[in-house]
């Protein structure tokens, strides 16, 4: 701020200290001012300035605002109300996101006449929005001297999210972990709507509540269960039991709400205790899905007037009856509601609170808040950071994760840390999930941090913001005065050090020589929020519980012997023929032999009884699907879809496996693995994992373990498992494409009816190789093989195998069967074509 050429700058002080200095300056008639905040969810600033007569003042405000992800977007709102014509009016919005920008949307709420003055440009990770109206265009009418600019510019965007484990950003000794997984099926929910229908709700409040509830009830899914409690001095239930959200029941509930007539007093205590009783009874009787989420959604506009009146007693009563798996969300309608009380109720019981202003869009506000919690995706989300990598971390354990939201954890790093191993664990619908995140590069790219509009201390300030916000919640719910004093001191220390205005601190604005002083602080009203945005409630867990890495090499591919199928290049690409060698040796260990399929589909079939490896190639067209394993008796099918290279080489088009499909019939579980992601489908439920991150998922007894950009292990209890390898190529390569290979242990416990291109060999046929002799190529001897009643001429050589190294392949010594395995496999390889990725092969 500049007053008569004197420049004032602001610093944060403890509130009482700063206010005393401010009052002294004002009493002397010096320039003085106060900054207040008053808004719905994010801070807006109103400056009230007292300056001596005839003074000239220029006010410049710099502030930081945390964007909270809601309903799958970040939203930034700029209010434009200049009040007069401006010669040079320009708004510039710069967005920089290291993860990349998925999309950006700019809403013009200033009026249709200004649409041509907006311009948006963006690259993969940066965007720039400008608004620059001319002086003439600002006029309210053609000859008006008043401005027509009075409205908002709203920018919504979201970032790229290729990792379910989240994005870890590190700079200047601090880290921020953003977690917002996608492609997860919703958890079923049990929800009780507790609606205040006292006399104070009469009129517009009730009308808009009814409108909002109609939309909310329509959004319930068939697997959800619900009921409605409406209360005044009495308590009524639409149903004493939780009811499935069928169209018929939803229609009946809407009629019930429509008929409500507000009247009487307010018994909040009795209504909440009744809702908890219904949840407890349903749970105790086994009526609730064990994977479901139980929520109470309270809507009220006032203080209690009937029953228990003391607010602290209501808090104690509710907290005593609530179970850890229940959450309470509260909505306060109107400007005079005791929002602090409703906020404490929610915070005490693992929920969130929202103030709804009694305006014409109150119905929309209510629907929007409900939408933020309407779709729970995960429960029991925990972030495990290696204890030796940080000295402090914000809350890292969360009861719920809701669709469209984001969990953010921040921390202060230990000195000399070179990497941050992180494991995120959670429970989804029918699944247990684990993601492995590792930040190896602890400094953002130099070119990125040198950008003009990138805030280089964002990680440090984000940590301070989250810490203060979470400490304020703890202070709000502190049980003793001593505990409250200790938390207060922590808040003030961090706020002063990191320059945050809180209910406990204020901005002291003073000139360079400290002769002139002013004060800015947060609102005096205890019913207003301190810090903007709604964060997901959580708590800290002990750092000593850092779990072991879930997918070490041994846990992913451990086991005795394997059958491997490998689509490959040439069938035999080098020799070192040793006629005395009858065992397949890899790294000198017989216990690591495998059967595999790799590129240009070449198969390596390991026959443990004969101690031989037999190879053959097939050459299907791109798009064809080959059945690899069908076991109708235990209900398993494994198929592979063929892809082709970008173009032929010497008139030959290389083909590969690009997708594998697993179908477990008894579990009604489908798993698709392609070169980009791993997709599971379980009836209505689905989930997605990505090759770009290490993680685990357990679904209906099937464990899916991903090792980043390397392999996936599919394990069915202890009976069988398969390993799929990913082969990446240079994206700009003129010919080659990414492809997959699959490896199967010969110890897998299939039934005697198992079939398929490799399945048939789990019931090992007898083979006899004899009459080894020189071939046309002296380095590639030939022999006669007797198998399945056929006599075949086979060639001895090497086949490429990636079992021990996906970058530098190992060469497997094997007998190669010509003519696409004819005589060695049952029938022709084209007999194994199926129509769908999850089809079973008909029994031969």
């Amino acid at each position: 701020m500049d007053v008569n050429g004197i420049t004032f700058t602001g610093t944060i002080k403890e509130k009482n200290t700063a206010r005393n200095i401010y009052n002294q300056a004002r009493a002397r008639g010096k320039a003085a001012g106060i900054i207040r905040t008053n808004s719905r969810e994010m801070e807006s600033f109103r400056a009230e300035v007292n300056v001596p007569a005839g003074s000239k003042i220029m006010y410049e405000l710099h502030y930081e605002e945390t964007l909270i992800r809601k309903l799958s977007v970040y939203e930034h709102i700029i209010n434009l109300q200049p009040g007069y014509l401006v010669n040079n009016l320009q708004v510039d919005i710069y967005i920089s996101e290291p993860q990349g920008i998925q999309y950006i949307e700019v809403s013009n709420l200033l009026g249709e006449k200004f649409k041509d003055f907006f311009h948006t440009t963006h690259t993969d990770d940066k965007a720039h929005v400008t608004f620059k109206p001319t002086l003439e265009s600002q006029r309210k009418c053609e000859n008006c001297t008043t401005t027509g600019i009075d409205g908002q510019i709203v920018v919504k965007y979201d970032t790229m999210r290729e990792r379910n484990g989240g994005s870890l950003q590190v700079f200047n000794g601090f880290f921020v972990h953003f977690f917002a997984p996608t492609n997860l099926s919703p958890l079923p929910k049990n929800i009780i709507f507790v609606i205040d229908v006292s006399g104070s709700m009469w009129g517009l409040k009730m009308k808009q509540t009814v409108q909002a509830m109609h939309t909310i009830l329509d959004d319930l899914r068939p697997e959800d269960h619900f009921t409605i409690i409406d209360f005044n001095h009495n308590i009524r239930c639409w149903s004493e039991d939780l009811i499935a959200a069928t169209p018929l029941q939803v229609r009946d509930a809407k009629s019930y709400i429509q008929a409500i007539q507000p009247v009487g007093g307010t018994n909040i205590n009795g209504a909440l205790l009744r809702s908890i009783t219904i949840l407890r009874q349903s749970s105790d009787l086994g009526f609730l899905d064990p994977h479901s989420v139980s929520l109470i959604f309270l809507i009220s506009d006032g203080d209690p007037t009937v029953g228990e009146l003391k607010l602290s007693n209501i808090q104690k009563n509710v907290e005593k009856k609530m179970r850890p798996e229940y959450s309470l969300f509260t909505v306060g309608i109107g400007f005079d509601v005791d929002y602090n009380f409703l906020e404490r109720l929610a915070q005490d019981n693992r929920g969130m609170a929202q103030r709804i202003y009694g305006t014409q869009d109150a119905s929309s506000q209510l629907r929007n808040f409900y939408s933020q919690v309407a779709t729970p995706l995960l429960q029991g989300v925990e972030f495990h950071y290696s204890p030796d990598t940080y000295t402090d971390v914000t809350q890292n354990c969360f009861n719920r994760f809701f669709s469209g939201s984001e969990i953010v954890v921040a921390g202060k790093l230990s000195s000399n840390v070179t990497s941050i191993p992180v494991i995120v664990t959670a429970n989804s619908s029918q699944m247990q999930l684990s993601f492995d995140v590792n930040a190896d590069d602890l400094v953002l790219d130099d070119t990125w941090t040198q950008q003009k509009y990138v805030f280089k201390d964002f990680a440090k300030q984000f940590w301070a913001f989250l810490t203060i916000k979470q400490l304020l919640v703890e202070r709000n719910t502190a049980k003793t005065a001593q505990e409250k004093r200790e938390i207060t001191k922590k808040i003030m220390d961090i706020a002063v050090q990191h320059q945050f205005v809180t209910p406990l601190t204020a901005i002291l604005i003073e000139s360079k020589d400290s002769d002139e002083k002013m004060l800015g602080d947060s609102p005096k009203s205890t019913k207003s929020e301190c810090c903007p945005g709604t964060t997901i409630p959580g708590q800290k867990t002990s750092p000593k519980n850092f779990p072991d890495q879930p997918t070490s090499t041994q846990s992913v591919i451990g086991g005795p012997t394997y059958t491997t199928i490998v689509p490959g290049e040439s069938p035999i690409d080098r020799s070192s023929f040793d006629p005395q060698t009858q065992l397949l040796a890899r790294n000198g260990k017989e216990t690591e032999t495998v059967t595999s399929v790799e590129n240009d589909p070449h198969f390596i079939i390991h026959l443990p009884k004969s101690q031989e490896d037999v190879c053959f190639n097939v050459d299907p067209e791109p798009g064809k699907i080959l059945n690899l394993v069908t076991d109708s008796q235990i209900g398993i099918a494994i198929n592979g879809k063929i892809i082709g290279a970008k173009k032929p080489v010497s008139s030959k088009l290389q083909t590969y496996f690009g997708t594998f499909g697993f179908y477990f019939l008894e579990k009604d579980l489908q798993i698709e693995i392609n070169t980009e992601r791993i997709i599971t489908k379980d009836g209505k439920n689905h989930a997605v994992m990505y090759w770009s991150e290490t993680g685990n998922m357990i679904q209906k007894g099937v464990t899916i373990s991903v090792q980043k950009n390397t392999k996936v292990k599919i394990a069915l209890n202890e009976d069988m498992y398969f390993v799929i390898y990913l082969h990446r190529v240079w994206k700009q390569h003129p010919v080659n494409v990414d492809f997959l290979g699959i490896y199967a242990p010969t110890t897998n416990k299939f039934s005697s009816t198992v079939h398929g291109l490799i399945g048939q060999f789990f019931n090992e046929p007898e083979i006899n190789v004899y009459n080894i002799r020189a071939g046309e190529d002296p380095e590639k001897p030939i022999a006669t093989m007797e198998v399945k009643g056929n006599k075949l001429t086979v060639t001895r050589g090497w086949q490429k195998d990636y079992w021990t190294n996906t970058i530098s392949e190992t060469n497997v010594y094997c007998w190669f069967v010509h003519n696409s395995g004819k005589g060695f496999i049952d029938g022709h390889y084209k007999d194994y074509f199926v129509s769908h990725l999850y089809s079973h092969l008909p029994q031969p």
Side-chain angles (χ1 to χ4, degrees):
M1 177 183 284
D2 187 286
V3 180
N4 294 330
I6 301 174
T7 301
F8 295 77
T9 57
T11 56
I12 303 296
K13 302 286 186 183
E14 190 275 325
K15 176 173 283 189
N16 291 332
T17 302
R19 186 170 290 279
N20 288 335
I21 298 173
Y22 162 73
N23 289 334
Q24 293 170 15
R26 186 173 183 178
R28 296 198 310 271
K30 300 294 185 179
I34 189 166
I35 298 173
R36 297 197 181 278
T37 64
N38 183 21
S39 70
R40 294 185 179 181
E41 291 188 5
M42 67 180 181
E43 290 180 307
S44 60
F45 298 89
R46 178 181 179 88
E48 300 173 6
V49 182
N50 177 43
V51 295
S55 298
K56 181 180 179 180
I57 182 170
M58 182 176 68
Y59 187 79
E60 186 175 319
L61 177 66
H62 296 259
Y63 72 96
E64 299 161 16
E65 174 189 341
T66 301
L67 299 185
I68 305 295
R69 186 173 187 259
K70 298 178 181 178
L71 304 178
S72 301
V73 297
Y74 299 102
E75 182 180 75
H76 183 55
I77 300 175
I78 296 179
N79 291 287
L80 279 183
Q81 298 169 316
Y84 55 87
L85 299 175
V86 181
N87 287 327
N88 184 18
L89 175 62
Q90 181 169 338
V91 176
D92 291 279
I93 303 168
Y94 296 88
I95 301 172
S96 299
E97 288 287 354
Q99 292 174 255
I101 297 173
Q102 185 181 60
Y103 87 98
I104 182 170
E105 173 188 308
V106 181
S107 298
N108 165 29
L109 302 183
L110 298 171
E112 187 69 15
K113 63 180 288 188
F114 296 109
K115 67 177 183 179
D116 295 333
F117 298 100
F118 284 88
H119 183 61
T120 303
T121 59
H122 73 90
T123 61
D124 290 342
D125 54 15
K126 298 180 182 64
H128 181 202
V129 179
T130 60
F131 173 63
K132 190 175 182 180
T134 63
L135 182 65
E136 289 303 313
S137 69
Q138 296 176 44
R139 298 183 187 277
K140 198 167 187 178
C141 62
E142 186 175 351
N143 298 316
C144 290
T145 58
T146 56
T147 181
I149 295 181
D150 185 0
Q152 296 177 325
I153 299 174
V154 180
V155 178
K156 296 180 180 180
Y157 76 95
D158 199 15
T159 59
M160 301 296 293
R161 300 181 187 279
E162 296 183 354
R163 298 182 177 182
N164 277 331
S167 169
L168 205 63
Q169 298 182 19
V170 184
F171 194 70
N172 279 356
F174 291 81
F175 73 86
V176 182
H177 189 168
F178 299 95
F179 178 80
T182 57
N183 297 307
L184 294 170
S185 294
L187 293 162
K189 64 179 178 288
N190 317 299
I191 184 165
I192 300 179
F193 299 99
V194 183
I195 304 173
D196 183 348
V197 296
S198 61
S200 59
M201 286 286 289
W202 187 87
L204 184 61
K205 290 180 183 178
M206 196 68 231
K207 179 181 178 181
Q208 294 191 331
T209 298
V210 170
Q211 290 175 350
M213 284 301 302
H214 277 227
T215 303
I216 288 170
L217 291 171
D218 282 336
D219 287 342
L220 293 174
R221 293 179 293 274
E223 59 269 24
D224 295 335
H225 289 73
F226 78 107
T227 189
I228 299 166
I229 295 176
D230 59 302
F231 69 96
N232 42 37
H233 51 284
N234 294 317
I235 299 168
R236 297 193 311 163
C237 297
W238 169 69
S239 170
E240 292 285 354
D241 301 312
L242 288 165
I243 304 297
T246 64
L248 179 63
Q249 299 295 353
V250 167
R251 186 164 59 249
D252 185 67
K254 288 162 69 175
S255 298
Y256 178 84
I257 290 176
Q258 190 69 46
I260 289 175
Q261 295 295 324
V263 66
T266 307
N267 187 355
I268 293 178
N269 184 73
L272 287 176
L273 294 184
R274 176 74 65 85
S275 68
I276 299 169
T277 299
I278 292 175
L279 282 177
R280 291 171 67 104
Q281 289 176 346
S282 298
S283 178
D284 293 343
L285 293 172
F287 293 159
L288 304 185
D289 185 327
H291 301 285
S292 64
V293 171
S294 295
L295 312 174
I296 298 171
F297 199 80
L298 170 67
I299 303 171
S300 181
D301 76 331
D303 292 337
T305 61
V306 177
E308 179 60 66
L309 302 182
K310 192 172 181 180
L311 301 184
S312 59
N313 285 347
I314 296 176
Q315 289 175 241
K316 292 175 183 177
N317 294 341
V318 172
E319 188 175 5
K320 181 179 179 181
K321 291 292 184 180
M322 287 282 280
R323 289 179 176 174
E325 62 268 28
Y326 304 159
S327 293
L328 171 61
F329 296 85
T330 59
V331 176
I333 298 181
F335 293 91
D336 55 349
V337 66
D338 191 337
Y339 181 74
N340 260 10
F341 165 62
L342 295 178
E343 186 178 45
R344 284 195 300 270
L345 269 178
Q347 291 172 349
D348 284 346
N349 297 284
R350 299 159 295 281
M352 297 182 288
Q354 178 70 46
R355 181 199 292 275
I356 301 296
Y357 290 80
T359 59
Q360 291 298 322
D361 68 339
S363 178
S364 174
Q365 296 174 52
L366 179 55
R367 290 195 305 269
N368 285 342
F369 178 61
Y370 171 77
S371 295
Q372 295 172 40
V373 300
T375 310
L377 298 180
L378 296 172
Q379 297 191 81
V381 183
E382 293 194 35
F383 296 78
H384 307 270
Y385 301 92
S386 182
D388 57 353
T389 61
Y390 68 90
T391 59
D392 191 275
V393 69
T394 58
Q395 291 173 354
N396 62 326
C397 180
F398 302 84
N399 293 86
R400 314 269 188 266
F401 170 75
F402 297 95
S403 177
S405 67
E406 181 175 60
I407 294 176
V408 184
V409 180
K412 185 187 298 186
L413 296 174
S414 303
S415 57
N416 302 319
V417 174
T418 58
S419 66
I420 308 176
V422 186
I423 296 175
V424 184
T425 58
N427 294 314
S428 180
S429 179
Q430 306 291 328
M431 289 177 281
Q432 299 172 9
L433 303 174
S434 172
F435 304 106
D436 187 353
V437 185
N438 199 335
D440 295 316
D441 185 6
L442 297 192
V443 179
L444 292 178
D445 185 84
D446 288 341
T447 59
W448 179 264
T449 56
Q450 291 170 7
Q451 297 298 316
K452 182 178 179 180
Y453 297 102
V454 171
F455 179 43
K456 297 177 176 58
D457 276 337
F458 83 96
K460 179 174 74 172
Q461 292 299 91
F462 215 130
W463 169 82
F465 170 79
L466 288 178
T467 301
I468 291 172
K469 193 171 183 67
Q470 292 164 6
L471 285 172
L472 285 169
V473 173
E474 293 179 24
R475 183 177 183 269
N476 223 12
T477 57
K479 304 300 182 185
T480 65
Q482 177 63 27
E483 183 183 359
K484 189 171 185 176
R485 284 193 295 270
E486 292 173 358
I487 296 173
T488 299
K489 185 178 185 308
K490 291 180 183 178
I491 294 172
M492 287 195 295
D493 289 346
I494 298 173
V496 170
Q497 180 181 354
H498 294 268
Q499 299 292 284
F500 277 97
V501 176
T502 73
L504 309 175
T505 54
I507 299 177
L508 177 66
I509 307 172
E510 54 187 342
S511 61
K512 186 176 181 179
D513 58 6
S514 300
D515 184 54
E516 303 281 348
K517 303 179 187 295
M518 286 184 289
L519 178 76
D521 66 4
S522 58
K524 293 181 179 179
S525 170
T526 60
K527 296 185 179 183
S528 298
E529 292 182 88
C530 149
C531 303
T534 302
T535 56
I536 296 175
Q539 58 272 347
K540 286 188 180 183
T541 56
S542 171
K544 66 183 180 181
N545 295 325
F546 185 73
D548 294 333
Q549 296 290 344
T551 49
S552 65
T553 301
Q554 290 184 347
S555 66
V556 173
I557 61 172
T561 58
Y562 299 82
T563 298
T564 327
I565 317 169
V566 191
E569 292 132 88
S570 59
I572 303 172
D573 42 6
R574 79 167 215 195
S575 65
S576 289
F577 175 61
D578 179 359
Q580 302 302 316
T581 303
Q582 298 296 319
L583 298 179
L584 174 64
R586 303 203 181 127
N587 296 337
K589 299 179 182 179
E590 292 181 21
T591 58
E592 292 183 355
T593 57
V594 295
T595 294
S596 59
V597 187
E598 280 285 358
N599 52 353
D600 200 23
H602 68 244
F603 292 69
I604 306 174
I605 306 298
H606 177 61
L607 303 173
K609 292 180 182 178
S610 305
Q611 290 296 300
E612 294 283 6
D613 288 282
V614 180
C615 306
F616 65 91
N617 284 6
V618 297
D619 191 22
E621 298 174 354
K624 295 294 185 181
I625 300 175
L626 284 167
N627 176 257
L628 304 177
V629 177
T630 287
D631 192 328
S632 299
Q633 187 170 326
I634 61 176
I636 292 179
I638 303 172
N639 301 311
K641 187 174 184 178
I642 301 298
I643 58 173
K646 294 176 182 177
K647 63 180 181 180
V649 176
S650 302
S651 301
K652 165 67 175 175
L653 180 69
Q654 294 284 96
T655 55
Y656 314 87
F657 278 118
T659 304
F660 288 113
F662 290 74
Y663 180 46
F664 300 92
L665 178 63
E666 290 186 358
K667 299 177 181 295
D668 190 24
L669 177 63
Q670 298 173 349
I671 303 172
E672 176 184 335
I673 302 173
N674 57 46
T675 56
E676 297 298 326
R677 57 182 64 90
I678 300 94
I679 305 165
T680 68
K681 298 176 183 177
D682 167 17
K684 294 181 179 180
N685 302 314
H686 72 278
V688 178
M689 301 178 74
Y690 297 92
W691 282 105
S692 56
E693 62 184 339
T694 296
N696 283 324
M697 177 190 300
I698 302 175
Q699 188 170 4
K700 288 189 170 182
V702 176
T703 301
I704 304 159
S705 303
V706 182
Q707 186 170 326
K708 181 179 177 180
N709 289 327
T710 305
K711 56 199 167 192
V712 174
K713 177 184 176 183
I714 309 293
L716 178 62
N717 301 321
E718 297 180 355
D719 295 334
M720 63 181 66
Y721 66 92
F722 304 86
V723 180
I724 294 87
Y725 276 81
L726 172 67
H727 302 277
R728 290 282 192 217
V729 300
W730 178 43
K731 293 297 183 185
Q732 305 303 317
H733 195 284
V735 177
N736 295 342
V737 295
D738 296 344
F739 66 93
L740 304 173
I742 183 171
Y743 294 72
T746 56
T747 54
N748 278 349
K749 298 176 182 178
F750 289 106
S751 73
S752 60
T753 63
V754 63
H755 201 54
L757 260 178
I758 63 169
Q760 59 190 289
F761 297 105
F762 284 99
N763 295 317
E764 183 178 334
E766 292 184 6
I767 68 167
N768 181 27
V769 179
Y770 61 94
N771 192 20
I772 300 174
R773 54 199 184 276
E776 294 182 4
D777 185 338
E779 295 186 343
K780 296 178 180 179
I782 61 176
T784 299
M785 175 187 290
E786 290 183 351
V787 58
K788 297 181 179 179
N790 302 309
K791 286 187 177 182
L792 310 175
T793 299
V794 294
T795 304
R796 189 67 160 168
W798 297 93
Q799 190 79 297
K800 288 185 178 179
D801 173 63
Y802 296 87
W803 176 248
T804 56
N805 193 321
T806 58
I807 305 299
S808 302
E809 73 280 354
T810 302
N811 290 299
V812 174
Y813 213 25
C814 64
W815 291 107
F816 184 75
V817 180
H818 302 274
N819 299 321
S820 300
K822 184 178 180 180
F824 180 64
I825 64 174
D826 295 335
H828 192 275
Y829 82 87
K830 293 184 178 180
D831 298 335
Y832 297 87
F833 286 165
V834 290
S835 60
H836 193 273
L837 196 60
Y838 306 111
S839 296
H840 280 250
L841 186 71
Q843 286 296 318

